[in-house]
Amino acid sequence: LPDEINLVEIERIDLVCEVNNTDHHTLQNGVDSLIVRRGQPFTITLHLQPGTHFQNGDNINFIAQTGPIPSVEAQTKAKFSLSRFISRSSWSATAETSDSTVSLTVCSHPNAPIGVYKLILDQGEGVGLGEFVLLFNPWCKQDSVYLASEAEREEYVLSQDGLIYRGIPKRITVLPWTFGQFEPGILDICLQILDESPNYISDAALDCSERRNPVYVTRVLSAMINSLGDKGVLVGNWSDDHEDGVKPTVWKDSCSILQQWSNDGCRAVRYGQCWVFAAVACTVSRALGIPCRVVTNYGSARDSNGDLVMERFYNEFDENIANDSIWNFHVWVENWMTRPDLALGYEGWQASDPTPQHRSEGVFCCGPAPVRAIKEGELTFKYDIPFVYAEVNADVVEYIKLRDGRVFKMGGSTTEVGKSISTKAVGRDEREDITHNYKYPEGSEEERRVYEKANHHNKLAQAGEEPGFHIKIKVTPDMQIGSDFDVYAELKNNTMVTKSCRVMFYAQAVSYNGKLGETCGLGEFTEMNLAPTEGSKVTLRLEYAEYSKAINQDRMIKLVALLIDAETRDFYRAKKTIILDGPEIIILGVPKVGQNLVADLALQNPLPEPLENCVFTIHGANLTDGKPITHEVGTVGPKEFVTAKVQFTPKLPGQRKILIDFASDKLHNVETYENLVIYE
């Protein structure tokens, strides 16, 4: 055949991973494989057999393909030939030749599906030139995840650790977390998650084609991070029984969860709660190149019937007997992308919630919901906006139901839901309040206008200090676990007559999702008379001996004070959730630059009893070799100091966080972190 003379015979191929991965911001993934971002050129070197010539003309053709059934129509296969210039809007290639080498530059379409690709030289029969992974590209203006700010790309795409906010608005607590999206093997697991989804299993060709769209990929991840209805990563558990798995509060990093899922044949890992689901979703999103951040909403409503009113029925002992619930906090993620499927103006941050609470189009997933649509009350836009809208905006009406069946309306609040919506600030270990992205200021005209638009009627009158009876709970700042302390209920009679009343004041353990536990302090009904405009105070002592048996690892206690007018039988109620301070971990010693670093750890047991099975754990991306380092310290007596030296070896230079955790039989989830700068 005359064509035989033109066949290019290749001796070996160099994918030049180090140079390409550096250019494509994937160097942290390592240099063992070629990992590039879409819409951006990469260059590989072909070493030719002696005597072979490479005719630099348009008769040299290439194929790039992904997925098990590549097709040009589905955009999972691209055919292109050599051209004089790289095009930024389609697959293209250019070549520079010298004696026996060809430097081949290839650029993908900025809207190509992400995934594992084969690159083929097409000369009658295909010659494989190698495999590469193609990711979303926040650095490319044509990519739908383009993020203009370099500082934001550093934080939301490249940063391997972060802070997750929990607690209550008056006492926001910080959980340091290692996302570890560039740790060895993690990207492969993230791609495996896509391949285990029901969408891929039922129609792989369509699923791979849809992977060009970050809206689609985010939705698949929201369903696959939880295990309901598919081979998802994590099982949710909001009970106190975690015998057959790991307590949600024990996890401190995403990699150990993802590795366990993958190594265990895609069996769901036990157990997660909202912040764990969100943190893992953040790792996978960042690994695939979708900018992502973890967001916490305080006073997060779960509206079971979709009327945007949280109706709470209580019995006398403050047990909520309705389906609607308000969690002390709830955590989800936001992903950054354009929304070509919606009107202009709804691009940018999209809320996505991988915690399984709600079926969307038949699947347990939620989002992506444009944050701006939530703010504007546009409940018809895709996806799941009414659900997220209620999480941050529902009104609350409260009723109390007595044993004899009578129901009293006890008032309510329009400001209790959706407060202090928080995420880690860009480039700093500080909290950024993003409530304004989700809602207009409470009580403002716009907020009410949006509220009406979202078909919300029962706005309750805002009350300052009003006539009538008042009850309020006051606490002292020093509420450390292990100590006994007092809390107070203050009563005020703002009426013209002397009132006779009964007061009940009690404390109950509670977990972050509002689930009540055992009672751990009770001031029975006390009879008292209050003269006009007179105030009084009832004290409840919380003793460690009592509350230590009731509280769980969230260290939260709910205080409730009930005031009953002896004459009219009217109820007044005050409540407050408190979080007990854990002990501080003090890090001693200065980390020296060099090979081995030693963290000198010290902590005082705050309890009046010994701690058993004490363990320090440290970990950090590129610091502890991809897995936590544990150090057992045994038993620590009451009020004693415990110290430990833990050695680790940093792998790469740069700013890193070392996360430290202390656990024992009676104290868990005591954590802190330190920023380290590692020099070359």
Side-chain angles (χ1 to χ4, degrees):
L1 291 168
D3 273 358
E4 283 294 334
I5 314 140
N6 293 338
L7 280 187
V8 177
E9 295 194 23
I10 298 168
E11 192 171 84
R12 64 186 178 85
I13 296 158
D14 181 0
L15 296 178
V16 207
C17 296
E18 186 157 354
V19 174
N20 286 317
N21 292 5
T22 303
D23 283 350
H24 286 252
H25 309 278
T26 59
L27 186 61
Q28 293 190 80
N29 284 307
V31 293
D32 299 337
S33 53
L34 178 57
I35 301 168
V36 295
R37 297 183 188 275
R38 59 189 196 171
Q40 182 177 332
F42 60 93
T43 299
I44 65 177
T45 308
L46 312 181
H47 296 269
L48 306 181
Q49 297 274 22
T52 297
H53 286 290
F54 187 89
Q55 284 291 312
N56 199 342
D58 55 10
N59 58 345
I60 292 190
N61 299 307
F62 299 95
I63 295 172
Q65 61 185 44
T66 184
I69 313 162
S71 96
V72 174
E73 300 72 51
Q75 298 179 29
T76 47
K77 178 177 189 175
K79 296 183 168 185
F80 50 103
S81 49
L82 280 180
S83 50
R84 290 180 56 200
F85 301 104
I86 285 291
S87 154
R88 294 291 178 129
S89 56
S90 63
W91 285 87
S92 58
T94 60
E96 285 183 20
T97 53
S98 66
D99 296 348
S100 61
T101 61
V102 179
S103 185
L104 182 68
T105 299
V106 176
C107 187
S108 60
H109 191 299
N111 194 26
I114 62 156
V116 179
Y117 275 79
K118 288 188 172 67
L119 183 61
I120 298 161
L121 174 62
D122 183 17
Q123 40 184 11
E125 59 186 58
V127 178
L129 299 182
E131 280 200 351
F132 60 93
V133 176
L134 189 66
L135 302 178
F136 291 107
N137 192 354
W139 285 262
C140 167
K141 285 197 169 123
Q142 285 79 30
D143 195 309
S144 46
V145 299
Y146 172 66
L147 189 55
S149 148
E150 179 57 33
E152 290 185 1
R153 294 190 296 246
E154 282 285 332
E155 181 71 50
Y156 299 138
V157 185
L158 299 179
S159 177
Q160 294 201 80
D161 42 44
L163 304 175
I164 298 175
Y165 296 96
R166 296 186 300 175
I168 49 178
K170 289 217 168 107
R171 259 237 28 240
I172 288 175
T173 61
V174 179
L175 173 69
W177 191 274
T178 304
F179 296 116
Q181 67 270 28
F182 298 114
E183 293 282 19
I186 294 299
L187 177 57
D188 294 340
I189 298 173
C190 297
L191 293 167
Q192 184 186 3
I193 289 173
L194 299 180
D195 287 351
E196 290 294 340
S197 86
N199 299 25
Y200 180 87
I201 289 158
S202 66
D203 188 342
L206 178 63
D207 175 72
C208 289
S209 171
E210 292 277 15
R211 290 183 194 178
R212 59 185 187 273
N213 181 356
V215 176
Y216 175 83
V217 173
T218 296
R219 204 156 162 74
V220 169
L221 293 182
S222 163
M224 282 298 294
I225 299 301
N226 70 72
S227 65
L228 284 178
D230 52 40
K231 292 168 80 173
V233 176
L234 271 163
V235 184
N237 184 341
W238 285 267
S239 76
D240 280 337
D241 177 15
H242 308 105
E243 283 306 300
D244 54 346
V246 174
K247 270 187 193 154
T249 44
V250 169
W251 303 112
K252 301 293 181 268
D253 73 303
S254 306
C255 296
S256 42
I257 295 170
L258 290 166
Q259 284 156 347
Q260 185 181 326
W261 174 79
S262 179
N263 294 340
D264 207 3
C266 306
R267 280 232 328 268
V269 176
R270 299 165 185 267
Y271 286 105
Q273 287 177 3
C274 64
W275 67 92
V276 188
F277 289 112
V280 173
C282 182
T283 294
V284 181
S285 299
R286 288 183 184 180
L288 298 177
I290 303 173
C292 187
R293 63 188 186 184
V294 176
V295 170
T296 303
N297 176 36
Y298 291 92
S300 193
R302 185 160 178 268
D303 183 7
S304 59
N305 62 356
D307 62 357
L308 301 184
V309 181
M310 307 300 293
E311 299 193 301
R312 292 205 202 150
F313 288 86
Y314 293 92
N315 56 24
E316 282 137 293
F317 282 93
D318 196 46
E319 292 160 289
N320 189 350
I321 48 181
N323 290 330
D324 290 349
S325 60
I326 295 194
W327 295 19
N328 284 307
F329 64 87
H330 183 50
V331 185
W332 57 75
V333 292
E334 289 177 357
N335 297 80
W336 179 270
M337 65 193 72
T338 58
R339 288 299 299 267
D341 55 326
L342 300 178
L344 266 178
Y346 292 94
E347 61 283 341
W349 289 116
Q350 313 285 319
S352 168
D353 188 351
T355 297
Q357 339 181 48
H358 149 91
R359 278 187 194 273
S360 171
E361 299 183 340
V363 180
F364 276 101
C365 68
C366 177
V371 172
R372 182 168 161 230
I374 296 161
K375 181 168 181 170
E376 297 298 340
E378 292 288 359
L379 302 198
T380 58
F381 284 5
K382 288 186 162 168
Y383 288 90
D384 309 304
I385 292 171
F387 186 79
V388 187
Y389 179 90
E391 288 188 305
V392 299
N393 281 307
D395 274 353
V396 182
V397 187
E398 296 187 329
Y399 303 90
I400 197 159
K401 191 171 188 176
L402 300 185
R403 269 171 241 161
D404 60 12
R406 285 184 302 155
V407 172
F408 294 90
K409 187 165 166 183
M410 291 184 47
S413 151
T414 51
T415 58
E416 183 179 348
V417 169
K419 287 198 286 219
S420 306
I421 303 175
S422 304
T423 190
K424 178 188 174 298
V426 173
R428 313 193 309 285
D429 288 331
E430 282 167 37
R431 185 178 74 86
E432 184 185 345
D433 192 303
I434 54 170
T435 312
H436 59 276
N437 291 354
Y438 280 85
K439 54 210 287 194
Y440 288 100
E442 289 291 357
S444 67
E445 270 176 57
E446 296 92 341
E447 185 228 8
R448 287 297 102 191
R449 174 179 61 70
V450 168
Y451 215 56
E452 296 312 319
K453 180 160 151 193
N455 182 7
H456 223 310
H457 318 296
N458 16 13
K459 171 74 177 157
L460 300 153
Q462 292 291 52
E465 173 141 312
E466 285 201 349
F469 246 177
H470 296 289
I471 183 161
K472 237 167 125 173
I473 295 175
K474 288 281 192 268
V475 296
T476 56
D478 181 35
M479 297 185 292
Q480 192 181 33
I481 186 162
S483 60
D484 300 346
F485 55 91
D486 289 333
V487 290
Y488 309 97
E490 294 184 344
L491 319 175
K492 187 85 190 285
N493 174 11
N494 277 353
T495 70
M496 307 309 289
V497 294
T498 298
K499 286 277 195 186
S500 163
C501 59
R502 298 165 70 204
V503 183
M504 182 183 189
F505 192 14
Y506 62 95
Q508 214 172 349
V510 65
S511 53
Y512 85 93
N513 61 352
K515 192 166 176 282
L516 293 166
E518 299 290 308
T519 303
C520 55
L522 185 59
E524 283 296 353
F525 279 110
T526 44
E527 301 274 354
M528 54 173 64
N529 290 318
L530 287 177
T533 71
E534 186 185 17
S536 178
K537 198 153 93 166
V538 179
T539 304
L540 178 61
R541 183 136 185 95
L542 292 182
E543 295 179 355
Y544 175 73
E546 281 301 306
Y547 70 69
S548 63
K549 299 199 287 270
I551 61 172
N552 66 12
Q553 60 266 20
D554 293 336
R555 298 201 285 268
M556 290 183 172
I557 296 176
K558 183 172 188 174
L559 305 173
V560 180
L562 283 178
L563 173 63
I564 298 178
D565 184 325
E567 190 182 359
T568 65
R569 311 292 300 149
D570 283 341
F571 271 81
Y572 304 87
R573 192 158 62 95
K575 55 189 177 170
K576 190 177 219 111
T577 300
I578 59 175
I579 301 183
L580 301 179
D581 283 312
E584 274 186 83
I585 298 175
I586 305 147
I587 302 176
L588 308 167
V590 184
K592 294 261 194 322
V593 174
Q595 308 307 308
N596 284 351
L597 296 186
V598 175
D600 250 331
L601 311 175
L603 170 136
Q604 184 180 19
N605 174 6
L607 305 187
E609 52 189 325
L611 299 175
E612 311 285 344
N613 311 331
C614 300
V615 181
F616 281 107
T617 305
I618 69 167
H619 63 105
N622 305 127
L623 291 175
T624 58
D625 212 11
K627 52 189 180 295
I629 298 176
T630 57
H631 185 93
E632 297 181 12
V633 284
T635 303
V636 183
K639 306 290 183 192
E640 258 181 32
F641 267 94
V642 55
T643 58
K645 286 186 188 308
V646 185
Q647 192 166 307
F648 59 99
T649 312
K651 282 276 186 288
L652 288 178
Q655 164 111 359
R656 299 275 176 252
K657 270 191 181 53
I658 185 90
L659 314 187
I660 294 113
D661 175 72
F662 175 83
S664 66
D665 62 335
K666 303 182 191 67
L667 267 186
H668 324 267
N669 315 1
V670 180
E671 56 259 325
T672 185
Y673 64 93
E674 190 77 37
N675 289 322
L676 305 176
V677 176
I678 311 296
Y679 297 100
E680 281 282 16

